[in-house]
Every structure is written in structure tokens, then in C-alpha cells.
Amino acid sequence: MDITARLRVLLGPEAVLSAPDDVAPYLVDHRRLYQGKTLAVCQPADVAGVSRLLAWCNEARIAVVPQGGNTGYCGGATPDESGQQLVLSLRRLNKVRAVDASGFSLTVEAGCLLAQVQAAAAEVQRLFPLSLGSEGSCQIGGNLATNAGGTSVLRYGMTRDLVLGLEVVLADGSVLSSLSPLRKDNTGYDLKGLFVGSEGTLGIITAACLKLFPADRSVATAWVAIADPQDAISLLGRLRAASGDRCSSFELVPQVALDLVLQHVPGTRSPDTVAAPWYLLVELTSPADDDLETLLNEALAAAIDSGLALDAVVAQNSTQRDNLWRLRESVPAAQRVVGHSLKHDISVPIAALPQFITAGSHLAHTLAPEGFLVGYGHVGDGNLHFNLSQRPGTDNAAFAAREPALKRAIHDLVASLGGSFSAEHGIGQLKVGELERYAPAAELLLMQRIKHSFDPNGILNPGKVLRAG
Ligand code: FAD
Ligand code: MLT
Ligand code: ZN
């Protein structure tokens, strides 16, 4: 019996795709950096199916590449070019298993879209605070596997901080079921913590018990024009103090990014402030009936009086708020319209951000003259997407050829400032070499040992995070 026939017996005929047109969407990553091949795409309907598949693959030494919504930026969910790997799509594990409003937790399967998890929480007047531009297509399993960040990390932390328990299928098919909603449990090593951010290399996440918070009852959102990034940092400190730390999002958008969005994303319109080199999207939220709008207006008026801000507009209703968010969240899409971009998902200690932006901009201008800088992102977390787009009329190949030297210079700069070359997008296959270069040798060795003890036959997403072999 050939492999696909065997898989159909194991999982049911509807769970195995092998026709070229059917598997094609699973073989290319969101940025179109990688094009793989596969034996088949398997889509089990439940955890028992995932378990049977892994047990069989472990015996047969067949590599498995888990895939969620395929929105990742580092090629982590794309199989290699050998055609000998299986893609494991979690798409059909998409049930909300339990919502516990009084215990402030919910249990969902890995294939639920992030937006579906948010909606399940909202139905019982609770908040699941993880929020990303890709929330309509990424899956919670992918968010956990990449330890996704997004726009509310400042207040609620990364995905890791939102996890109470996990259900994971290990390489040999055994199921680690640790879906307890306990907030306190100091019984040995935190094994579930190892799977978060492991990008499918240590186990397949099939379900998670997640933390919920009281739903927001008050929100105030502003678009703030500022002269330079140092002002952003000073304003962040002031706003956090003035609002009793109700600041949940603090995003930086340069004028060049706003211009790209207004030019390329239909239906967007310029916010009503003076033009400035930089803007902030600031949001305060509260589960109480607070007058956040007045608070934000007063804080921003004081900032303008003291020269910290140039101008600001506070959204007057949910349509205006959505429009402001659309400007921020459309930046990656607008950059895609312009063409290939050289991306650097960096973080530095927040006080070092202005120094990074000055030195990094100089490097970008000198090392990639065909590009222009679009540096935006989660400035409240010290995380910038320090991306370059290509200038119209310049040569594609010349621009692409700038990538290695520019990446080295930017990442060395980040390292010299005590920062990270991958703040929230992970390693995948794109940044394996960077991890080898920048991770301390002792950490890298420990990661290799952990990988070997969880996956002795190397069947789980080989070549991602760590070099295969
Ligand atoms: P995939 O891309 O399918 O997979 C990602 C990795 O996880 C792969 O290594 C895969 O093998 C593994 N994996 C997937 N599911 C499982 C599972 N169930 N068990 C084990 N391993 C698994 N990211 C941020 O952090 N912050 C942002 O603000 C942000 N904004 C974005 C905006 C846009 C418009 C886009 C397109 C992407 C953005 N991303 C952002 C990147 C991406 O959406 C996140 O990395 C997301 O968490 C990936 O989820 P996914 O389901 O698409 O995973
Ligand atoms: C974002 O914050 O918009 C994404 O993480 C960055 C990107 O899409 O490049
Ligand atoms: Zn981001």
C-alpha cells in the first residue's frame, strides 16, 4: 500500500489531500519566500487522529510539518523541497470545547481562528486580549506555537502569558493532556511553557485552556502626531501614569507608512491631525465605566502644551476608532502592494529605541540605497518592524541583493543594544542561521538537547528553529 493509501486508512479518506491543486495552497508561505513539496496534506478531525498519525510517522520516520492559518512570517509551516514530508493541517480541530465565564477561562481546539476565540469570549462578556492584524486567518494553535505578540502586549503580555493549560500530541503519538484551568500549580517543570513558541518542533498543540479578562466597557483611541520617537517614549510613561496603567496599545506609524496605506488600501482616509514625521495610535481601555475619553483628551492636551505632541485626534465613535486601527493594521498589506520588503522584526530595551532608530536608519540608507525605510510597530513593547520597501524604478535584483549585509548590520546593532533579532515572529526556517549566530552557545546546546529528548527521531518540523540532524 502506498503512503497516501495508508494515511487514508489511518485517518479516513476525507482527511488526506494529495491532488496537486488541493495541496498547492499549503506549500507556499504567506510571504512567498519558500515553495515546498509534500507527500500529502493530512487534516485529522480530532486529537485521536493526530495521535494515530504521529505514532505512525514516528515508526516510519516520516517528517511532519504542522500548519495553522499559514500567516507566519518565517516559513515555519512550509515543508521542504524533498517531497518526503507531510503537512499536518489543524484546520478541522476547530471546536470551542468550554467557556467558563466565572472562572475566566476558555478551552479551545488549536484550529480555531483567533477571531473565533475572541468572539467566544465576547459572547460571555469576557475579553481574550490577543490581537493581531492576521486574526481573521491565523489559528490559536499557530499563535501558541509562535508565541505571537500583536497590539495588546503592553497590557496583557505575549500569547505565553495567556496560557493556563495545553493538550499536546508528542512525537510518538502519546497525548499530554494538561488542560487544567489552575492559576497556581507548582508541581515540577513547566512543560507546557516549552511548547509555546516551539514552532511545531517539540509537539503538536491540539487544544489550549486560555485566560480571559473582564470585557472592556470603556475605550478611548487617539491618533497623535509627534516630532520624534523620543517623544513617543516620554508620552508612553506619562500616559501609563495618568491613566492608572490603562494603556493597552501604543503603536508607532511613520508618515511614510501612512502614505503607503492611504495610497494603496481602498477606503482609508487621512486622520485629522497636522502632518508630522511620526504618529502614534494610542488606546486606553477599562472594564469599568470610566471616562477614558476625557482622561485621554486632557493627557494629550497637556502633552501638546509641553511640546511632547504636535497634534492629536480622539475617535468620537466606533467607526472612527475602526478607521484609525485600519490605518495601523493595513501597513503590512500596503507594503506588500509596493513589492518585496526587507523585514527586521526587532526589539530593544525601550529607552534604546531612539538610538536604534537613528543608527538603523543610517545603516538602511547607506547599505540599501534602492530601498526606503518603513519602520513601524509596537513601540510600547520596544518592538519595531524595521522594514524596507523598494523605491519605484530601482532594480529588483539589486534591492534583494542588499538583504544579507543589511540584515547583518541591523541585527549586530540590535545585539549591541541588548535587543532581539526576532521579537515576535519566531525563527521558522528563515532565521535559523541568526539564532545560531546570536544565541549564547550554552542556550543553543540546551535547545538541541531538549529537541532530541522530545523528538529523538527528528520527525517534528525538522530544520525549523534548529538545523536538522
Ligand atoms: P502558521 O503560519 O500556520 O504556523 C506558524 C508556526 O507554528 C509554524 O512553525 C507551524 O509549524 C507551527 N504551528 C502551527 N500550528 C501549530 C500547532 N497546532 N501545533 C504546533 N505547531 C504549530 N505576528 C505577531 O506576533 N504579531 C503581529 O502583530 C502580527 N501581525 C501580523 C499581521 C499580518 C497581516 C500577518 C499576515 C501576519 C502577522 N503576524 C503577526 C504573523 C502571524 O500571523 C503569527 O505568527 C501567527 O501566530 C501565526 O499563526 P498561524 O496559525 O498562521 O500559524
Ligand atoms: C504587524 O505588527 O503589523 C506585523 O507583525 C508586522 C508585519 O506584518 O510585518
Ligand atoms: Zn507586529
Side-chain angles (χ1 to χ4, degrees):
M1 207 186 296
D2 76 2
I3 288 178
T4 45
R6 182 78 194 96
L7 291 168
R8 288 194 169 99
V9 172
L10 205 62
L11 302 175
E14 71 292 348
V16 182
L17 308 178
S18 56
D21 283 354
D22 293 342
V23 300
Y26 298 85
L27 302 184
V28 61
D29 67 302
H30 180 80
R31 291 186 64 199
R32 304 195 168 273
L33 296 178
Y34 300 99
Q35 174 70 58
K37 295 194 178 119
T38 190
L39 284 168
V41 175
C42 297
Q43 314 187 70
D46 53 23
V47 61
V50 177
S51 167
R52 284 197 302 281
L53 177 68
L54 260 68
W56 184 78
C57 287
N58 198 40
E59 281 293 313
R61 305 288 193 267
I62 292 178
V64 176
V65 180
Q67 189 171 109
N70 200 16
T71 66
Y73 278 136
C74 301
T78 311
D80 69 12
E81 292 168 9
S82 67
Q84 299 305 307
Q85 302 187 325
L86 284 178
V87 174
L88 165 55
S89 165
L90 280 302
R91 200 178 60 80
R92 292 173 72 209
L93 273 83
N94 60 1
K95 288 183 210 56
V96 175
R97 289 195 192 162
V99 184
D100 179 358
S102 51
F104 286 79
S105 70
L106 94 175
T107 304
V108 291
E109 292 185 343
C112 288
L113 296 181
L114 173 54
Q116 188 187 346
V117 179
Q118 295 166 338
E123 256 177 49
V124 294
Q125 287 74 53
R126 297 290 179 258
L127 172 73
F128 181 64
L130 183 67
S131 179
L132 321 179
S134 53
E135 61 202 23
S137 45
C138 63
Q139 297 176 4
I140 190 69
N143 303 146
L144 289 156
T146 57
N147 187 27
T151 52
S152 57
V153 172
L154 180 61
R155 176 90 162 267
Y156 295 100
M158 303 281 281
T159 304
R160 173 183 307 288
D161 300 300
L162 304 172
V163 180
L164 292 169
L166 286 186
E167 178 186 83
V168 180
V169 179
L170 301 178
D172 65 0
S174 53
V175 181
L176 200 77
S177 189
S178 172
L179 284 171
S180 154
L182 289 180
R183 307 266 161 168
K184 298 182 103 171
D185 179 15
N186 275 346
T187 50
Y189 302 136
D190 179 15
L191 292 177
K192 69 176 183 307
L194 276 175
F195 296 103
V196 179
S198 69
E199 301 181 51
T201 62
L202 300 181
I204 307 298
I205 298 168
T206 48
C209 181
L210 302 166
K211 282 184 199 168
L212 299 180
F213 297 81
D216 289 330
R217 291 164 70 106
S218 322
V219 58
T221 312
W223 189 264
V224 186
I226 56 170
D228 69 54
Q230 180 58 55
D231 292 339
I233 293 164
S234 309
L235 186 59
L236 175 65
R238 281 208 198 176
L239 268 181
R240 289 186 70 172
S243 68
D245 223 4
R246 290 185 185 82
C247 193
S248 44
S249 299
F250 198 84
E251 300 282 312
L252 184 72
V253 178
Q255 176 73 52
V256 64
L258 178 63
D259 288 343
L260 285 183
V261 169
L262 294 173
Q263 196 180 342
H264 297 294
V265 182
T268 52
R269 57 177 292 268
S270 189
D272 229 354
T273 66
V274 297
W278 301 90
Y279 302 96
L280 294 167
L281 175 55
V282 176
E283 189 156 278
L284 306 183
T285 55
S286 165
D289 289 319
D290 294 331
D291 187 358
L292 294 181
E293 207 178 302
T294 302
L295 198 159
L296 189 55
N297 269 312
E298 286 174 2
L300 291 174
I304 292 168
D305 281 349
S306 63
L308 212 50
L310 302 172
D311 197 4
V313 56
V314 177
Q316 298 303 302
N317 51 48
S318 60
T319 310
Q320 289 182 5
R321 174 181 179 244
D322 291 350
N323 287 341
L324 294 182
W325 270 110
R326 186 132 184 265
L327 295 174
R328 158 62 184 96
E329 295 203 316
S330 301
V331 177
Q335 264 205 299
R336 265 164 83 86
V337 177
V338 181
H340 180 63
S341 46
L342 311 184
K343 281 179 181 275
H344 310 92
D345 167 33
I346 68 92
S347 63
V348 292
I350 190 158
L353 262 175
Q355 189 187 346
F356 170 79
I357 291 175
T358 306
S361 306
H362 177 70
L363 291 172
H365 292 139
T366 48
L367 294 175
E370 300 82 3
F372 61 97
L373 195 56
V374 187
Y376 65 97
H378 320 289
V379 67
D381 316 322
N383 174 197
L384 275 189
H385 300 300
F386 203 68
N387 300 346
L388 271 81
S389 279
Q390 192 181 337
R391 284 184 197 286
T394 58
D395 182 59
N396 291 352
F399 178 58
R402 303 292 186 185
E403 177 144 38
L406 178 66
K407 178 174 70 181
R408 182 61 49 243
I410 297 285
H411 288 174
D412 281 354
L413 171 64
V414 165
S416 75
L417 294 170
S420 167
F421 66 86
S422 185
E424 60 171 7
H425 293 161
I427 303 295
Q429 50 185 309
L430 182 67
K431 299 183 187 172
V432 172
E434 299 303 282
L435 185 67
E436 287 171 344
R437 182 182 173 94
Y438 294 105
E443 279 185 24
L444 205 56
L445 186 62
L446 209 49
M447 287 189 215
Q448 285 158 349
R449 286 184 180 157
I450 291 169
K451 166 73 179 170
H452 186 70
S453 74
F454 276 73
D455 180 21
N457 296 325
I459 64 154
L460 289 175
N461 219 359
K464 314 293 169 49
V465 183
L466 299 171
R467 209 167 286 280

Short mmCIF file of all heavy atoms in Angstrom, two decimals, residues 30 66-73 76-77 90 110 132-134 138-139 141-143 145-146 148-150 199-200 203-205 332 378 424-425 461, ligand 1:
data_model
loop_
_atom_site.label_atom_id
_atom_site.label_comp_id
_atom_site.label_asym_id
_atom_site.label_seq_id
_atom_site.Cartn_x
_atom_site.Cartn_y
_atom_site.Cartn_z
N HIS A 30 3.22 32.62 3.51
CA HIS A 30 2.49 33.88 3.29
C HIS A 30 3.30 34.91 2.52
O HIS A 30 2.77 35.64 1.68
CB HIS A 30 2.09 34.44 4.66
CG HIS A 30 1.34 35.72 4.61
ND1 HIS A 30 -0.01 35.77 4.33
CD2 HIS A 30 1.74 37.00 4.76
CE1 HIS A 30 -0.40 37.03 4.33
NE2 HIS A 30 0.64 37.79 4.59
N PRO A 66 3.58 20.86 10.93
CA PRO A 66 2.26 21.37 11.31
C PRO A 66 1.97 22.71 10.65
O PRO A 66 2.88 23.53 10.45
CB PRO A 66 2.34 21.52 12.83
CG PRO A 66 3.78 21.44 13.19
CD PRO A 66 4.53 20.84 12.06
N GLN A 67 0.71 22.90 10.31
CA GLN A 67 0.33 24.19 9.71
C GLN A 67 -0.99 24.66 10.30
O GLN A 67 -1.95 23.91 10.39
CB GLN A 67 0.21 24.05 8.20
CG GLN A 67 0.04 25.39 7.51
CD GLN A 67 0.13 25.31 5.98
OE1 GLN A 67 -0.86 25.47 5.29
NE2 GLN A 67 1.33 25.07 5.46
N GLY A 68 -1.00 25.94 10.72
CA GLY A 68 -2.23 26.56 11.21
C GLY A 68 -2.84 27.38 10.09
O GLY A 68 -3.19 26.86 9.03
N GLY A 69 -2.92 28.69 10.31
CA GLY A 69 -3.52 29.56 9.29
C GLY A 69 -2.54 29.95 8.19
O GLY A 69 -2.91 30.67 7.25
N ASN A 70 -1.29 29.51 8.30
CA ASN A 70 -0.24 29.81 7.31
C ASN A 70 -0.05 31.32 7.12
O ASN A 70 0.15 31.78 6.01
CB ASN A 70 -0.57 29.13 5.97
CG ASN A 70 0.66 28.99 5.08
OD1 ASN A 70 1.80 29.12 5.56
ND2 ASN A 70 0.46 28.74 3.80
N THR A 71 -0.10 32.06 8.22
CA THR A 71 0.17 33.51 8.14
C THR A 71 1.54 33.86 8.71
O THR A 71 1.88 35.04 8.81
CB THR A 71 -0.89 34.31 8.92
OG1 THR A 71 -0.77 34.01 10.33
CG2 THR A 71 -2.31 33.98 8.48
N GLY A 72 2.30 32.86 9.12
CA GLY A 72 3.60 33.11 9.75
C GLY A 72 4.58 33.75 8.78
O GLY A 72 4.47 33.59 7.55
N TYR A 73 5.56 34.46 9.35
CA TYR A 73 6.49 35.24 8.52
C TYR A 73 7.85 34.57 8.31
O TYR A 73 8.71 35.15 7.66
CB TYR A 73 6.72 36.60 9.17
CG TYR A 73 5.64 37.60 8.84
CD1 TYR A 73 5.12 38.42 9.83
CD2 TYR A 73 5.17 37.75 7.55
CE1 TYR A 73 4.14 39.35 9.54
CE2 TYR A 73 4.18 38.68 7.25
CZ TYR A 73 3.67 39.47 8.25
OH TYR A 73 2.70 40.39 7.96
N GLY A 76 7.89 28.78 8.78
CA GLY A 76 7.85 27.66 9.74
C GLY A 76 6.86 26.58 9.37
O GLY A 76 7.02 25.42 9.76
N ALA A 77 5.82 26.93 8.61
CA ALA A 77 4.75 25.98 8.32
C ALA A 77 4.88 25.39 6.91
O ALA A 77 3.97 24.70 6.45
CB ALA A 77 3.40 26.66 8.48
N LEU A 90 -4.20 21.73 11.02
CA LEU A 90 -5.04 21.62 12.22
C LEU A 90 -6.43 22.20 11.98
O LEU A 90 -7.24 22.33 12.90
CB LEU A 90 -4.35 22.34 13.39
CG LEU A 90 -3.22 21.61 14.14
CD1 LEU A 90 -3.76 20.28 14.71
CD2 LEU A 90 -2.00 21.34 13.30
N ALA A 110 -6.95 23.75 18.66
CA ALA A 110 -5.87 24.52 18.03
C ALA A 110 -6.27 25.17 16.71
O ALA A 110 -5.76 26.23 16.36
CB ALA A 110 -4.68 23.60 17.78
N LEU A 132 -4.06 40.55 16.60
CA LEU A 132 -3.07 40.71 15.52
C LEU A 132 -3.80 41.11 14.24
O LEU A 132 -4.97 40.77 14.07
CB LEU A 132 -2.35 39.39 15.17
CG LEU A 132 -1.94 38.38 16.22
CD1 LEU A 132 -1.30 37.20 15.52
CD2 LEU A 132 -0.94 39.00 17.16
N GLY A 133 -3.08 41.74 13.32
CA GLY A 133 -3.67 42.10 12.03
C GLY A 133 -4.18 40.87 11.29
O GLY A 133 -5.07 40.97 10.45
N SER A 134 -3.63 39.69 11.59
CA SER A 134 -4.00 38.46 10.88
C SER A 134 -5.08 37.67 11.61
O SER A 134 -5.32 36.50 11.28
CB SER A 134 -2.75 37.57 10.73
OG SER A 134 -2.16 37.37 12.01
N CYS A 138 -5.30 33.63 11.14
CA CYS A 138 -4.37 32.79 11.91
C CYS A 138 -5.15 31.96 12.93
O CYS A 138 -6.26 32.30 13.30
CB CYS A 138 -3.30 33.64 12.61
SG CYS A 138 -3.93 34.79 13.83
N GLN A 139 -4.56 30.84 13.33
CA GLN A 139 -5.22 29.93 14.28
C GLN A 139 -4.57 30.07 15.66
O GLN A 139 -3.37 30.35 15.76
CB GLN A 139 -5.08 28.48 13.81
CG GLN A 139 -5.77 28.21 12.48
CD GLN A 139 -5.56 26.79 11.99
OE1 GLN A 139 -4.95 25.96 12.66
NE2 GLN A 139 -6.06 26.50 10.79
N GLY A 141 -3.69 27.76 17.58
CA GLY A 141 -2.56 26.83 17.67
C GLY A 141 -1.29 27.46 17.10
O GLY A 141 -0.20 27.30 17.67
N GLY A 142 -1.44 28.18 15.99
CA GLY A 142 -0.29 28.88 15.40
C GLY A 142 0.19 30.01 16.30
O GLY A 142 1.39 30.25 16.45
N ASN A 143 -0.76 30.70 16.93
CA ASN A 143 -0.39 31.78 17.86
C ASN A 143 0.43 31.22 19.03
O ASN A 143 1.42 31.82 19.45
CB ASN A 143 -1.62 32.49 18.42
CG ASN A 143 -2.53 33.07 17.36
OD1 ASN A 143 -3.75 33.08 17.52
ND2 ASN A 143 -1.95 33.53 16.26
N ALA A 145 2.08 28.33 19.01
CA ALA A 145 3.33 27.75 18.52
C ALA A 145 4.37 28.83 18.20
O ALA A 145 5.58 28.56 18.23
CB ALA A 145 3.06 26.89 17.29
N THR A 146 3.92 30.04 17.88
CA THR A 146 4.87 31.14 17.60
C THR A 146 4.99 32.11 18.78
O THR A 146 5.74 33.08 18.69
CB THR A 146 4.41 31.96 16.37
OG1 THR A 146 3.09 32.47 16.61
CG2 THR A 146 4.42 31.14 15.09
N ALA A 148 2.83 34.41 19.64
CA ALA A 148 2.56 35.67 18.92
C ALA A 148 2.43 36.85 19.89
O ALA A 148 2.06 36.69 21.06
CB ALA A 148 1.27 35.52 18.11
N GLY A 149 2.74 38.03 19.36
CA GLY A 149 2.68 39.26 20.16
C GLY A 149 1.46 40.08 19.80
O GLY A 149 0.36 39.81 20.27
N GLY A 150 1.64 41.10 18.95
CA GLY A 150 0.50 41.89 18.50
C GLY A 150 0.35 43.20 19.24
O GLY A 150 1.32 43.73 19.80
N GLU A 199 7.24 26.35 17.74
CA GLU A 199 7.02 26.33 16.28
C GLU A 199 6.90 24.91 15.71
O GLU A 199 7.46 24.60 14.65
CB GLU A 199 8.12 27.13 15.57
CG GLU A 199 8.17 28.59 16.04
CD GLU A 199 9.23 29.42 15.34
OE1 GLU A 199 9.25 29.41 14.10
OE2 GLU A 199 10.03 30.07 16.03
N GLY A 200 6.22 24.06 16.44
CA GLY A 200 5.94 22.71 15.93
C GLY A 200 7.12 21.77 15.99
O GLY A 200 7.06 20.68 15.42
N GLY A 203 6.19 19.29 19.65
CA GLY A 203 4.92 18.59 19.79
C GLY A 203 3.86 19.34 18.99
O GLY A 203 4.07 20.48 18.56
N ILE A 204 2.71 18.66 18.80
CA ILE A 204 1.60 19.30 18.08
C ILE A 204 0.57 19.76 19.11
O ILE A 204 0.03 18.94 19.86
CB ILE A 204 0.92 18.30 17.10
CG1 ILE A 204 1.95 17.65 16.17
CG2 ILE A 204 -0.18 19.01 16.30
CD1 ILE A 204 2.70 18.58 15.26
N ILE A 205 0.34 21.05 19.16
CA ILE A 205 -0.65 21.59 20.09
C ILE A 205 -2.03 21.32 19.49
O ILE A 205 -2.31 21.70 18.35
CB ILE A 205 -0.44 23.11 20.29
CG1 ILE A 205 0.95 23.36 20.90
CG2 ILE A 205 -1.54 23.70 21.16
CD1 ILE A 205 1.39 24.82 20.87
N PRO A 332 1.27 46.35 6.82
CA PRO A 332 1.88 45.22 6.10
C PRO A 332 1.27 45.00 4.72
O PRO A 332 1.99 44.73 3.75
CB PRO A 332 1.61 44.01 7.00
CG PRO A 332 1.20 44.54 8.32
CD PRO A 332 0.73 45.94 8.14
N HIS A 378 5.11 48.07 17.45
CA HIS A 378 4.60 48.04 18.81
C HIS A 378 5.58 48.75 19.73
O HIS A 378 6.27 48.12 20.55
CB HIS A 378 4.38 46.58 19.23
CG HIS A 378 3.80 45.73 18.13
ND1 HIS A 378 2.49 45.85 17.71
CD2 HIS A 378 4.35 44.76 17.33
CE1 HIS A 378 2.25 44.97 16.75
NE2 HIS A 378 3.37 44.31 16.48
N GLU A 424 8.82 38.94 17.76
CA GLU A 424 7.52 38.26 17.86
C GLU A 424 7.23 37.29 16.73
O GLU A 424 6.26 36.55 16.80
CB GLU A 424 6.38 39.29 17.97
CG GLU A 424 6.27 40.23 16.78
CD GLU A 424 5.02 41.11 16.80
OE1 GLU A 424 4.29 41.11 17.79
OE2 GLU A 424 4.79 41.80 15.78
N HIS A 425 8.02 37.26 15.67
CA HIS A 425 7.68 36.41 14.52
C HIS A 425 8.33 35.04 14.55
O HIS A 425 8.05 34.21 13.70
CB HIS A 425 8.01 37.13 13.21
CG HIS A 425 7.14 38.34 12.96
ND1 HIS A 425 7.49 39.33 12.09
CD2 HIS A 425 5.97 38.71 13.49
CE1 HIS A 425 6.54 40.27 12.10
NE2 HIS A 425 5.61 39.91 12.95
N ASN A 461 8.75 18.85 12.37
CA ASN A 461 9.17 20.09 11.71
C ASN A 461 10.69 20.24 11.64
O ASN A 461 11.25 21.26 12.08
CB ASN A 461 8.54 21.30 12.43
CG ASN A 461 8.10 22.36 11.44
OD1 ASN A 461 8.27 22.21 10.22
ND2 ASN A 461 7.56 23.45 11.94
P1 FAD B 1 1.28 29.16 10.80
O1 FAD B 1 1.85 30.25 9.98
O2 FAD B 1 0.44 28.16 10.12
O3 FAD B 1 2.44 28.39 11.59
C1 FAD B 1 3.41 29.10 12.32
C2 FAD B 1 4.34 28.10 13.04
O4 FAD B 1 3.63 27.39 14.04
C3 FAD B 1 4.92 27.03 12.12
O5 FAD B 1 6.19 26.68 12.57
C4 FAD B 1 3.98 25.86 12.30
O6 FAD B 1 4.61 24.63 12.02
C5 FAD B 1 3.62 25.98 13.76
N1 FAD B 1 2.27 25.52 14.12
C6 FAD B 1 1.09 25.99 13.65
N2 FAD B 1 0.07 25.37 14.29
C7 FAD B 1 0.63 24.51 15.18
C8 FAD B 1 0.10 23.60 16.14
N3 FAD B 1 -1.21 23.48 16.32
N4 FAD B 1 0.97 22.88 16.89
C9 FAD B 1 2.29 23.02 16.73
N5 FAD B 1 2.85 23.86 15.83
C10 FAD B 1 2.02 24.59 15.07
N6 FAD B 1 2.61 38.06 14.43
C11 FAD B 1 2.79 38.64 15.63
O7 FAD B 1 3.39 38.02 16.53
N7 FAD B 1 2.32 39.90 15.87
C12 FAD B 1 1.64 40.61 14.95
O8 FAD B 1 1.26 41.75 15.21
C13 FAD B 1 1.40 40.01 13.69
N8 FAD B 1 0.71 40.66 12.73
C14 FAD B 1 0.51 40.06 11.53
C15 FAD B 1 -0.22 40.75 10.56
C16 FAD B 1 -0.44 40.17 9.33
C17 FAD B 1 -1.25 40.93 8.31
C18 FAD B 1 0.10 38.89 9.03
C19 FAD B 1 -0.12 38.23 7.70
C20 FAD B 1 0.83 38.20 9.98
C21 FAD B 1 1.05 38.78 11.24
N9 FAD B 1 1.76 38.11 12.23
C22 FAD B 1 1.94 38.70 13.46
C23 FAD B 1 2.37 36.79 11.96
C24 FAD B 1 1.42 35.57 12.16
O9 FAD B 1 0.07 35.91 11.97
C25 FAD B 1 1.62 34.95 13.55
O10 FAD B 1 2.93 34.42 13.65
C26 FAD B 1 0.62 33.84 13.90
O11 FAD B 1 0.78 33.50 15.27
C27 FAD B 1 0.78 32.58 13.05
O12 FAD B 1 -0.38 31.77 13.20
P2 FAD B 1 -0.80 30.73 12.06
O13 FAD B 1 -1.97 29.96 12.56
O14 FAD B 1 -0.97 31.40 10.77
O15 FAD B 1 0.48 29.77 12.05
#
